[in-house]
């Protein structure tokens, strides 16, 4: 620009042009001066201002821009700059808000699907628990039917039945038989329930009969042992025989106590057990009577032979 030689008229036009940055103002200025016959250099500058606005805005003429901008212009530029920054920040916030809205929508979709999956899983767990409970109930109910085979194998023969009666396993077998019979009576409409009811009834009868047979065998063995030792009926031998009988039956009673206790516990709930308990008591009393009848009658005979009736009654009561 130092090489340009501008006339006063051209300097005036250039000064006015430096204050105008819009294409329309430059065009109006260009049209107004063309008629007055401006130089070719000024025409070229004006054409460049129209076709290349940004190039003309950046043109720095030494003579035009040598003076600093006024304070209000600088303040306007600062405000404009801050306004542009705030505008950009608002645009960025808008973009971030849009992203957050997308994330919120995606989160709601995922949360909804997760809730559905959780509900479905809870339903599956509940169904699993119900199936497990049903399977356990079915297994428990089927176990009653399986008990028939197990108990039958344990008391298949009389020898096995005797071993069961003389063992702690008897109480468990009686308990299983009672619960199985109760179940079959309560579920009589089940398939083959009546048949299994008859099976368990026969098994119970066999066990109770074996108990009575074992009890009788033990008493018979004790009575036979005592008879072999009874050789005389004098007074001293009678006392000795009585003492031996007491000891022998005490031993049998101690041995039979667990068995009798099992029957007594069930006697109040079942007629079969009550009947069995009564038979055991009667059997015990009969065998004791057979052993002691001879000695007691002999002792009573001696008392009546040596004493009158009142004295015999008194001495007989002491003897008994």
């Amino acid at each position: 620009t130092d090489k340009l030689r501008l006339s006063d008229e051209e300097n005036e036009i250039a000064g006015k042009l430096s204050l105008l940055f819009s294409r329309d103002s430059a065009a109006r200025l260009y049209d107004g001066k063309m008629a007055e016959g401006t130089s070719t250099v000024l025409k070229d500058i004006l054409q460049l201002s129209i076709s290349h606005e940004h190039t003309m805005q950046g043109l720095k003429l030494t003579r035009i821009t040598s003076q600093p901008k006024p304070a209000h212009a600088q303040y306007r530029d600062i405000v404009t700059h801050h306004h542009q920054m705030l505008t950009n920040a608002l645009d960025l916030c808008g973009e971030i808000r849009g992203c957050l809205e997308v994330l919120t929508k995606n989160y709601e979709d995922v949360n909804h699907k997760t809730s559905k999956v959780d509900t479905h899983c809870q339903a599956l767990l509940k169904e699993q628990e119900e199936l497990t409970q049903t399977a356990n109930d079915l297994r428990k109910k089927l176990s009653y039917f399986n008990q028939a085979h197990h108990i039958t194998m344990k008391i298949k023969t009389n020898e096995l039945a005797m071993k069961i009666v003389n063992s702690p396993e008897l109480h468990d077998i009686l308990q299983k038989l009672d619960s199985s019979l109760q179940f079959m009576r309560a579920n009589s409409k089940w398939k083959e329930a009546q048949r299994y009811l008859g099976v368990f009834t026969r098994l119970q009868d066999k066990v109770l009969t074996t108990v009575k047979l074992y009890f009788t065998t033990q008493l018979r063995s004790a009575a036979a042992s005592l008879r072999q030792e009874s050789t005389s009926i004098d007074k001293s031998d009678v006392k000795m025989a009585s003492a031996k009988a007491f000891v022998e039956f005490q031993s049998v009673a101690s041995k039979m106590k667990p068995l009798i206790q099992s029957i007594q516990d069930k006697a109040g709930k079942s007629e079969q057990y009550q009947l069995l308990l009564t038979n055991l008591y009667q059997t015990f009393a009969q065998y004791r009577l057979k052993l002691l009848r001879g000695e007691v009658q002999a002792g009573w005979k001696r008392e009546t032979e040596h004493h009158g009736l009142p004295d015999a009654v008194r001495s007989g009561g002491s003897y008994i």
Side-chain angles (χ1 to χ4, degrees), residues 3 14 36 58 72 77 101 124 131 141 144 176 195:
K3 296 181 180 180
E36 297 178 3
H72 71 275
D77 293 341
E101 289 177 354
L124 290 177
L131 290 175
K141 292 176 181 178
Y144 292 108
K176 290 180 179 179
R195 185 174 73 85

Side-chain angles (χ1 to χ4, degrees), residues 7 28 48 72 91 137 181 218 256 290-291:
S7 63
R28 287 195 300 272
L48 287 173
H72 71 275
D91 294 340
D137 292 341
L181 287 169
Q218 295 295 319
M256 295 289 106
K290 289 180 181 179
L291 288 173

Side-chain angles (χ1 to χ4, degrees), residues 231-249:
T231 57
S232 64
I233 58 172
D234 57 14
K235 188 173 181 180
S236 60
D237 288 337
V238 168
K239 289 183 178 181
M240 182 63 67
S242 299
K244 288 183 178 180
F246 175 78
V247 172
E248 189 69 24
F249 272 75

Side-chain angles (χ1 to χ4, degrees), residues 106-126:
N106 293 337
Y107 172 78
E108 291 176 353
D109 293 340
V110 172
N111 187 35
H112 179 66
K113 292 179 180 179
T114 303
S115 299
K116 291 178 64 177
V117 172
D118 181 68
T119 303
H120 186 63
C121 291
Q122 293 294 337
L124 290 177
L125 288 175
K126 184 177 180 181

